Amino acid sequence: MVSLCSLFDRDSRELLVLAVALSVLLAQDQDEDTVGKMAAFFTIVGDTLALFALQPNLFRDCRSLCPPESETGQEADTEEDLNSQKTP
């Protein structure tokens, strides 16, 4: 399986072609409103990544807000499981 990070180890021309191809695939059969929403979404993603690159501590601070990843093979707690763990 190809790592997502390895996609970005290419030269800028390859990344440009990849970005254009992905854009074409995403926009295919979509109306203008949907394409505009996707563009806004990916602009926010790009701006956030740029901010994390400029201020790496922000990324570390944001990660500390996320709950820890569950161990592989373990199912997420259901509402019933959570209720049974509450003290009376």
Side-chain angles (χ1 to χ4, degrees), residues 47-60:
D47 289 348
T48 304
L49 290 171
L51 183 60
F52 288 159
L54 290 173
Q55 297 183 356
N57 288 336
L58 285 177
F59 177 67
R60 285 188 279 280

Side-chain angles (χ1 to χ4, degrees), residues 36-86:
K37 287 177 183 176
M38 285 191 287
F41 173 80
F42 287 110
T43 296
I44 293 168
V45 170
D47 289 348
T48 304
L49 290 171
L51 183 60
F52 288 159
L54 290 173
Q55 297 183 356
N57 288 336
L58 285 177
F59 177 67
R60 285 188 279 280
D61 293 344
C62 288
R63 288 192 68 196
S64 69
L65 297 175
C66 297
E69 293 181 18
S70 63
E71 294 178 16
T72 37
Q74 235 181 3
E75 293 182 17
D77 290 333
T78 63
E79 187 175 336
E80 184 178 305
D81 292 337
L82 294 174
N83 288 334
S84 68
Q85 293 174 3
K86 291 181 182 175

Side-chain angles (χ1 to χ4, degrees), residues 23 26-28 30-31 33-43:
S23 298
L26 289 172
Q28 191 172 8
Q30 303 297 324
D31 61 25
D33 187 49
T34 302
V35 173
K37 287 177 183 176
M38 285 191 287
F41 173 80
F42 287 110
T43 296

